[in-house]
Amino acid sequence: MATTARSGGNASGSSAQRPNGTQQNKNCQFKLVLLGESAVGKSSLVLRFVKGQFHEYQESTIGAAFLTQTLCIEDTVVKFEIWDTAGQERYHSLAPMYYRGAQAAIVVYDIQNQDSFQRAKTWVKELHKQASPNIVIALAGNKADLSNIRVVEYEEAKQYAEENGLLFMETSAKTGMNVNDIFLAIAKKLPKNDGANNQGAPAGRRLNDNENNRQTNNCCK
Amino acid sequence: MHQSKSKPESRLAAITFFAKTHPGDVCGSNGLPLTPNSIAILGRAQKLKELKHPHLCQYLDFVRGKHERTIVVSEYFGTTLQDKSRSVLIEPLVVRIFYQIVCALKALTEHNLVVHNLEPKHVLLDDCDNVKLFNYGLYHMTRCGDYVPFPIGNVRYMSPERFLGSKNNIKSDIWSLGMIVAELLLQTKFWPNLKISNIARKILSFCQTNNVFERIAREHNCLERYEQINGELRILIENCLSVTPAKRPLPTDLFTHEVFSKDIEAYAYTEPPKPTILLYRCPLEQIYYWWQLAGGDVQGELKKEGLIRSEAPILAIPQLVCLNGKIVGPKRSQSYLMDDRVVPLKLNNLYEKLCNQPAMAYFPLIHSPKFPHNFGAGMEQLPLVIRERDIEYQFYRVRLFSRLLKGYPYTSEMIRKEAAKDIPPYLRGPIWSCLLDVIPIGSYGKIDKFTPTSTDRQIEVDIPRCHQYDELLSSPEGHCKLKRLLKAWVTAHPQYVYWQGLDSLTAPFLYLNFNNEELAFLSLYKFIPKYLQWFFLKDNSAIIKEYLSKFSQLTAFHEPLLAKHLASINFIPELFAIPWFLTMFSHVFPLHKIMHLWDKLMLGDSSYPLYIGIAILKQLKNTLLASGFNECILLFSDLPDIVMESCVFESQKMYECTPKSVSHRFHVLRETPLTEFDLTPDVTLSHLQAEMCPRISANDFTSLLHYAPTDMCALDLRSAVEFSHVRVPHSINVPFVAAQLAEPRLDALGVSQLVEMLQGRIVICMSNKHEHEFSKFLVECGVQRVCVLHKGFNILHTIEPNILISN
Ligand SMILES: Nc1nc2c(ncn2[C@@H]2O[C@H](COP(=O)(O)OP(=O)(O)OP(=O)(O)O)[C@@H](O)[C@H]2O)c(=O)[nH]1
Ligand SMILES: [Mg+2]
């Protein structure tokens, strides 16, 4: 199976949004949100996935950051629109704005931090309750490069993931281990043949349902 | 006052050494690279700059070079004791030197510092035979030598216990002092021909000796001279050279000792004559700053002296790299060895640049109109970057502000006025604190910064991610300080909580006041209520929502087409502007940009940041207008290079031309209460969110009408009949007809030359209904500066004196 990560950033741009049958390949875009305790490595995972880089002094995230990346699975081009959220509990009230309408979520914890694993479980619960029912959730045990000082056992997390129907991988944004793989696994699990995901509305539209929306949609022509 | 034309002798010097390099790929327990030792040194060394004492050479700067090189710049002048003692020194002079070194040690103990490298080379004497210690901070800055690959201290003057690993005891310095003075009194250098290892053995052998001084004298055939030494003095030296540290006197004991007090006049510091060169009357740290602006380059000076040698990198390539990261290859070259030469920094260049400056420029008289102090006049027009690097201009500014700061708080107004021109980077920290009305009262020391709290984890994970490209902020010392500041702020504000971002907000203040945590704290303490009132409440959603809605309105006010576009693609500020405002841009820009941004921010009120936000949008306008939602949001996830100077210029312009009530927010720290002619609290968040254009108060409306009628254009939307009864002078009647608003075209209104009449003016829509609909229409037509009269036309009836014309 040919799977390549295409450089995303802003380059892949608008053409992928309106695949009005002009392209041979199927085009899908999915909105994906990253959730998890602060400093578990959400931003680092996204940076690794989107730019192949790792910054040891990755800045903390305030509010949220948005990035895109495209993957090819067989004949399908999958574009992820990724919302990387702030981890501090206080920013919690913003989270629904980002996971509402998301088709996929990666809930991240840090394998050397037990609290972050508990926090991940509460995120999963919240997603099951509040997010769209078909959402594909992956659990990522990040900082796997530090597995010699881990406190969250692989088996424990694996079992939890199975019980809750989550994809699960241990990842390392530092070494790149399993980073592309977890996004790929999500991409594979997402439905790609119904029309729902490739109707060409930019992802931002789906944020419409927040109450700040001051006017009716003036769809750009 | 005339300046003598004598050439300046040097007052500054640099030394250099290498910090220990971390081996290969070693990581900390968090899996991330270790902080380089040179950075750790830099952080620790900062506090040394604060030591200003007549018997201590002032530290001025610490610079990191390549490959963990550390360069220390400090005061240096006169003769070393090493040189001076080549000829015999008379006993009173020796006692004087003894006493003054004691004074220096006493000052250092007061700061919990030990020297541990005290030797004659590090004792300087000026023309009046005043002593100044040099290089006394090496042990401290290298954390007891941990950060450097070489041992600290000259074996010859090292106390026995130091050989055995004892550290951090000032008594070890007392031993060194004893040895220095003993050499001077016996007029001989001890063990001139012994190898280092033998000297060490010798000193350790003293452990069996009762009277070290006597034994040394005997060994050097100086017993006669030893016996001639004044008895009291001799005993004092013997005490200093006690093998047991506990038996040695403390600097404070020595300080008050009879040997000195009986003729203290002869031994105490002699005030040297005032330097004839005016430049030398300025603080040394200013001289050094200007020296750099005048082209001084420490690394260059060291290169000239052969202390920094560059070698072909190919010579350093390893021959073998093992998989575990071990490197086999050429040894570090000779140029990496410790070389303790002192390189004087020549001041000629600087002197030549400044010697023709009038005395008044050195010491501006700020209160006498007869003596103007605007020396840099005319240069304000130059670009800021040029002014900041111009030696003469910075000389004027630094001198002027030094004077003004001394007079604070009485000079507040003048500081504000001068700061509006520009802020000299050298004094930015204290100037900002004045602009924020900070008055240090010693309260910081009393705040608990240590008791563990539930926010500690968040603070601890945020600090290592906060402006870590900066050497100071990434040093362990910087981390400790930032943590203390954040904890202190949280403790001092029980009503608030730590939000991620507070770290970034604090960083600029720490960066500027690294050695003055209290000033950093108080600046932050004042800054937050001024610009971010209630942002740090546990539930701040009402405040943020109001802020962002106002931001949208002001964007529509100044950039209607952009606002229209952004609204149409649903690019709402909630998605990108929270980090901007919560951190006043300190999370999105590097420090050097924040400096220039905040220089202006500090002079504005709580609405200023909103204009900065708009200025950023404006700078990216073309890209934004051509982009859809995804491209726009991507642009802000990785904010492109914003040109600060134009950003600041634009925000200033908008700030100045916007009536205050237009930027009104309910959630601000208010000094004067609102009246019925201001924006009243009945304007709620839902109004803000529903209305595209901001409201203007009746107060602002009338003052525009009175003082700047040509800056405004009032559009009266009432019917022609109502208008003919009563109206505002010069207002234009555009009776509201909903049908005209179907298409965003101004000519549909049927008012001739409307575009021209609105151009460049504040457009105020007045009615008792429909004004919001209408104003939105104007925005969509691209009309700038549209606002709506709060409380409608009817409010104008109640204004006294009457402003209306009626028929
Ligand atoms: N050793 C190791 N460190 C990592 C890894 N991923 C991230 N880090 C480090 O962990 C810290 C936090 O990473 P971030 O990506 O900022 O964490 P975050 O989850 O985005 O945090 P918030 O933005 O506060 O929610 C950074 O210093 C990273 O360098 C990893 O896989 N291994
Ligand atoms: Mg993050």
Side-chain angles (χ1 to χ4, degrees):
Chain A
M1 180 183 293
T3 53
T4 45
R6 275 213 246 129
S7 97
N10 35 22
S12 46
S14 42
S15 69
Q17 288 175 13
R18 286 178 189 74
N20 296 325
T22 49
Q23 280 160 298
Q24 280 293 319
N25 289 347
K26 264 189 282 177
N27 277 353
C28 295
Q29 53 183 358
F30 297 110
K31 186 178 149 188
L32 181 149
V33 62
L34 277 102
L35 300 165
E37 172 86 85
S38 177
V40 296
K42 298 179 294 300
S43 305
S44 303
L45 283 173
V46 178
L47 186 71
R48 174 61 81 188
F49 176 56
V50 173
K51 298 193 182 156
Q53 298 170 349
F54 178 73
H55 296 166
E56 58 223 43
Y57 305 127
Q58 176 64 43
E59 285 130 34
S60 61
T61 310
I62 293 174
F66 180 79
L67 287 147
T68 61
Q69 174 64 304
T70 310
L71 281 176
C72 295
I73 305 176
E74 293 173 338
D75 62 341
T76 312
V77 177
V78 175
K79 181 175 178 191
F80 279 118
E81 296 171 335
I82 306 166
W83 283 101
D84 167 27
T85 64
Q88 193 189 12
E89 175 57 27
R90 298 197 199 298
Y91 287 96
H92 193 152
S93 61
L94 293 176
M97 179 156 88
Y98 300 105
Y99 66 64
R100 220 181 284 151
Q103 290 97 336
I106 304 183
V107 177
V108 188
Y109 68 92
D110 172 353
I111 63 160
Q112 41 153 8
N113 182 327
Q114 187 66 45
D115 291 344
S116 74
F117 184 50
Q118 294 313 320
R119 185 81 191 94
K121 290 182 180 173
T122 23
W123 275 121
V124 171
K125 253 187 230 146
E126 179 166 341
L127 287 174
H128 278 151
K129 244 193 260 164
Q130 320 254 14
S132 93
N134 307 326
I135 190 166
V136 173
I137 305 176
L139 181 68
N142 192 37
K143 308 203 185 178
D145 53 296
L146 300 174
S147 68
N148 55 335
I149 50 167
R150 70 163 67 236
V151 294
V152 181
E153 290 306 325
Y154 180 85
E155 286 307 324
E156 184 189 355
K158 172 100 191 140
Q159 191 190 341
Y160 169 78
E162 275 167 13
E163 285 164 8
N164 289 274
L166 317 174
L167 291 166
F168 172 63
M169 279 184 207
E170 283 195 350
T171 57
S172 168
K174 187 185 163 191
T175 65
M177 172 186 136
N178 277 347
V179 176
N180 281 340
D181 310 53
I182 197 162
F183 282 90
L184 196 61
I186 293 170
K188 284 188 195 154
K189 207 171 161 188
L190 283 163
K192 281 170 291 287
N193 23 27
D194 67 33
N197 299 317
N198 49 9
Q199 281 306 301
R205 276 301 149 66
R206 298 193 198 97
L207 290 165
N208 279 359
D209 39 355
N210 85 67
E211 72 278 13
N212 295 322
N213 198 358
R214 79 156 61 84
Q215 60 180 69
T216 50
N217 271 338
N218 282 354
C219 217
C220 28
K221 289 132 207 163
Chain B
M1 207 180 320
H2 278 282
Q3 292 190 57
S4 97
K5 291 288 171 195
S6 67
K7 276 276 164 183
E9 79 273 29
S10 173
R11 303 238 155 169
L12 311 173
I15 56 169
T16 181
F17 55 85
F18 285 100
K20 235 187 243 173
T21 43
H22 293 300
D25 242 2
V26 178
C27 291
S29 61
N30 57 359
L32 303 179
L34 297 168
T35 311
N37 282 325
S38 56
I39 288 198
I41 291 175
L42 211 68
R44 278 182 75 84
Q46 296 306 313
K47 106 170 204 188
L48 296 169
K49 285 187 193 164
E50 293 308 300
L51 294 175
K52 288 173 196 158
H53 187 273
H55 297 301
L56 297 174
C57 283
Q58 192 182 338
Y59 277 99
L60 295 161
D61 198 11
F62 310 94
V63 187
R64 281 179 77 220
K66 277 188 194 156
H67 309 299
E68 290 295 86
R69 177 185 291 287
T70 304
I71 300 162
V72 179
V73 181
S74 96
E75 184 178 6
Y76 190 88
F77 62 95
T79 328
T80 65
L81 183 56
Q82 189 178 32
D83 287 340
K84 184 118 177 164
S85 63
R86 285 189 221 283
S87 48
V88 171
L89 307 184
I90 52 165
E91 194 175 294
L93 179 56
V94 175
V95 179
R96 181 182 166 94
I97 291 168
F98 187 5
Y99 175 71
Q100 297 200 356
I101 298 177
V102 166
C103 294
L105 292 180
K106 181 168 162 283
L108 290 170
T109 35
E110 280 159 14
H111 289 93
N112 295 319
L113 293 170
V114 294
V115 185
H116 285 17
N117 65 350
L118 190 58
E119 58 171 305
K121 217 168 47 185
H122 296 156
V123 178
L124 306 183
L125 290 143
D126 69 8
D127 294 342
C128 313
D129 286 330
N130 286 317
V131 164
K132 263 185 206 278
L133 290 196
F134 171 70
N135 201 11
Y136 51 87
L138 185 64
Y139 184 78
H140 168 76
M141 70 177 84
T142 59
R143 208 180 78 184
C144 318
D146 285 356
Y147 294 147
V148 284
F150 53 85
I152 290 179
N154 182 337
V155 169
R156 207 176 286 276
Y157 301 92
M158 210 177 268
S159 63
E161 73 276 5
R162 286 260 282 134
F163 288 99
L164 303 175
S166 156
K167 285 175 165 183
N168 292 324
N169 190 343
I170 187 76
K171 298 282 185 78
S172 306
D173 295 334
I174 297 293
W175 169 284
S176 312
L177 171 60
M179 289 299 260
I180 291 171
V181 180
E183 273 192 344
L184 294 177
L185 289 172
L186 298 182
Q187 297 165 15
T188 180
K189 194 168 161 84
F190 299 156
W191 315 297
N193 302 318
L194 281 194
K195 283 198 301 192
I196 287 186
S197 54
N198 289 337
I199 297 176
R201 206 161 297 141
K202 190 91 191 170
I203 293 172
L204 283 170
S205 76
F206 289 154
C207 294
Q208 274 103 42
T209 313
N210 278 333
N211 189 336
V212 174
F213 191 20
E214 188 201 8
R215 184 171 141 192
I216 295 177
R218 198 186 303 277
E219 282 181 9
H220 287 83
N221 298 320
C222 309
L223 208 52
E224 204 175 321
R225 227 176 260 146
Y226 166 80
E227 276 155 3
Q228 281 163 7
I229 297 170
N230 165 305
E232 236 178 346
L233 176 61
R234 199 180 64 205
I235 294 171
L236 201 55
I237 308 287
E238 283 167 5
N239 286 341
C240 291
L241 294 177
S242 306
V243 171
T244 321
K247 288 194 188 145
R248 290 174 217 152
L250 282 168
T252 41
D253 304 330
L254 291 168
F255 184 69
T256 50
H257 198 278
E258 261 259 82
V259 168
F260 308 121
S261 58
K262 67 183 177 208
D263 196 5
I264 195 75
E265 297 278 289
Y267 307 138
Y269 181 74
T270 318
E271 196 67 48
K274 272 201 167 180
T276 47
I277 297 178
L278 286 180
L279 179 64
Y280 285 174
R281 297 193 190 173
C282 299
L284 208 52
E285 59 272 28
Q286 296 185 0
I287 296 178
Y288 173 65
Y289 178 67
W290 298 322
W291 177 80
Q292 289 172 293
L293 289 180
D297 163 26
V298 187
Q299 306 225 25
E301 297 295 322
L302 292 176
K303 267 187 203 137
K304 267 190 236 155
E305 290 297 315
L307 261 158
I308 295 183
R309 278 178 284 168
S310 42
E311 281 167 13
I314 196 162
L315 296 174
I317 285 183
Q319 284 151 350
L320 196 68
V321 181
C322 305
L323 283 176
N324 64 7
K326 239 192 189 153
I327 290 174
V328 184
K331 279 230 148 31
R332 274 185 150 202
S333 85
Q334 289 291 307
S335 59
Y336 284 91
L337 295 179
M338 169 71 180
D339 182 338
D340 64 358
R341 268 179 296 166
V342 179
V343 177
L345 307 179
K346 295 182 194 70
L347 295 177
N348 306 16
N349 227 348
L350 172 65
Y351 175 73
E352 268 156 34
K353 290 230 159 90
L354 296 181
C355 62
N356 292 324
Q357 294 298 338
M360 212 64 84
Y362 282 91
F363 303 102
L365 295 173
I366 51 175
H367 291 300
S368 356
K370 239 172 49 188
F371 305 104
H373 56 260
N374 55 339
F375 287 98
M379 292 179 81
E380 284 120 43
Q381 306 309 322
L382 295 172
L384 185 61
V385 273
I386 303 220
R387 271 177 280 158
E388 286 194 346
R389 293 197 191 129
D390 186 281
I391 160 74
E392 265 183 46
Y393 188 70
Q394 287 307 315
F395 167 73
Y396 299 139
R397 299 298 277 168
V398 168
R399 289 313 292 163
L400 176 61
F401 271 102
S402 305
R403 197 36 79 98
L404 290 174
L405 289 171
K406 283 208 180 94
Y408 178 79
Y410 307 101
T411 47
S412 289
E413 272 318 300
M414 293 175 85
I415 292 178
R416 202 161 276 279
K417 202 177 115 224
E418 287 297 331
K421 294 180 194 158
D422 57 42
I423 294 181
Y426 176 76
L427 292 170
R428 187 174 271 135
I431 293 172
W432 278 10
S433 73
C434 295
L435 297 178
L436 291 166
D437 298 322
V438 167
I439 306 221
I441 43 164
S443 54
Y444 181 63
K446 296 183 202 127
I447 301 172
D448 177 7
K449 314 165 193 75
F450 302 101
T451 310
T453 67
S454 55
T455 21
D456 289 357
R457 177 193 179 260
Q458 191 63 53
I459 291 177
E460 256 152 42
V461 298
D462 284 349
I463 287 174
R465 296 186 285 171
C466 180
H467 293 289
Q468 293 298 293
Y469 52 86
D470 179 69
E471 293 172 339
L472 285 183
L473 293 183
S474 67
S475 69
E477 196 67 25
H479 285 194
C480 291
K481 282 175 183 282
L482 187 51
K483 183 172 171 188
R484 280 199 296 264
L485 284 169
L486 291 172
K487 281 184 71 88
W489 190 88
V490 174
T491 315
H493 296 89
Q495 71 277 37
Y496 295 140
V497 296
Y498 176 84
W499 280 84
Q500 259 183 312
L502 187 66
D503 52 334
S504 307
L505 193 61
T506 310
F509 294 114
L510 174 57
Y511 172 79
L512 290 180
N513 304 295
F514 199 80
N515 274 332
N516 193 340
E517 243 175 88
E518 166 149 38
L519 206 58
F521 176 79
L522 292 177
S523 302
L524 176 73
Y525 188 90
K526 290 283 200 167
F527 182 88
I528 288 179
K530 190 166 173 194
Y531 299 103
L532 291 163
Q533 176 75 329
W534 296 311
F535 266 68
F536 291 92
L537 281 175
K538 193 163 181 187
D539 180 5
N540 61 7
S541 56
I543 291 90
I544 301 238
K545 279 181 186 154
E546 184 195 30
Y547 205 94
L548 297 178
S549 306
K550 188 41 89 176
F551 177 55
S552 297
Q553 285 193 339
L554 286 174
T555 310
F557 187 76
H558 289 288
E559 286 296 322
L561 291 177
L562 191 55
K564 178 185 165 192
H565 172 68
L566 296 181
S568 74
I569 58 171
N570 237 305
F571 186 67
I572 51 173
E574 274 75 0
L575 297 175
F576 63 92
I578 292 177
W580 291 10
F581 296 122
L582 185 75
T583 70
M584 286 295 130
F585 307 93
S586 62
H587 193 74
V588 288
F589 289 127
L591 285 163
H592 70 272
K593 290 195 170 177
I594 300 169
M595 297 299 135
H596 288 143
L597 198 59
W598 284 17
D599 274 355
K600 289 286 177 267
L601 172 65
M602 299 274 173
L603 296 163
D605 65 18
S606 64
S607 68
Y608 198 92
L610 292 160
Y611 303 108
I612 299 176
I614 301 169
I616 294 175
L617 294 182
K618 213 171 157 175
Q619 215 168 94
L620 303 172
K621 186 171 170 179
N622 291 338
T623 319
L624 290 172
L625 281 177
S627 304
F629 178 88
N630 273 16
E631 291 81 7
C632 286
I633 194 85
L634 279 171
L635 195 62
F636 285 115
S637 279
D638 212 352
L639 202 59
D641 236 2
I642 299 289
V643 182
M644 267 312 134
E645 193 150 13
S646 61
C647 175
V648 161
F649 178 76
E650 287 295 335
S651 23
Q652 187 73 26
K653 235 172 53 185
M654 289 185 272
Y655 176 71
E656 280 165 10
C657 75
T658 313
K660 283 285 162 251
S661 59
V662 166
S663 63
H664 167 91
R665 287 182 301 121
F666 182 66
H667 293 112
V668 294
L669 195 63
R670 208 177 303 286
E671 272 150 22
T672 45
L674 295 170
T675 70
E676 58 176 313
F677 300 112
D678 291 310
L679 289 196
T680 39
D682 54 315
V683 188
T684 61
L685 181 62
S686 53
H687 288 112
L688 272 178
Q689 291 175 335
E691 296 164 7
M692 188 166 211
C693 294
R695 299 179 180 215
I696 186 169
S697 70
N699 268 341
D700 279 348
F701 180 82
T702 36
S703 48
L704 274 175
L705 201 60
H706 283 307
Y707 304 114
T710 53
D711 287 353
M712 68 178 288
C713 175
L715 296 184
D716 195 329
L717 310 183
R718 296 170 309 146
S719 69
V721 178
E722 287 171 290
F723 184 75
S724 67
H725 282 312
V726 57
R727 62 195 149 86
V728 175
H730 312 297
S731 63
I732 301 169
N733 189 214
V734 188
F736 181 81
V737 182
Q740 293 173 337
L741 311 187
E743 293 267 320
R745 281 178 30 231
L746 275 189
D747 48 8
L749 296 176
V751 181
S752 67
Q753 298 202 309
L754 187 58
V755 179
E756 289 73 20
M757 285 190 283
L758 301 183
Q759 185 71 39
R761 295 177 179 230
I762 295 170
V763 179
I764 302 159
C765 306
M766 303 183 298
S767 171
N768 294 315
K769 48 191 171 194
H770 306 307
E771 57 264 55
H772 296 294
E773 232 177 308
F774 185 78
S775 61
K776 187 174 162 216
F777 164 81
L778 291 181
V779 168
E780 286 175 352
C781 295
V783 179
Q784 271 191 313
R785 301 189 197 163
V786 179
C787 55
V788 165
L789 180 62
H790 176 53
K791 292 194 176 166
F793 188 87
N794 287 348
I795 182 84
L796 301 178
H797 290 295
T798 52
I799 288 183
E800 292 193 16
N802 179 35
I803 55 167
L804 298 176
I805 312 171
S806 41
N807 290 342

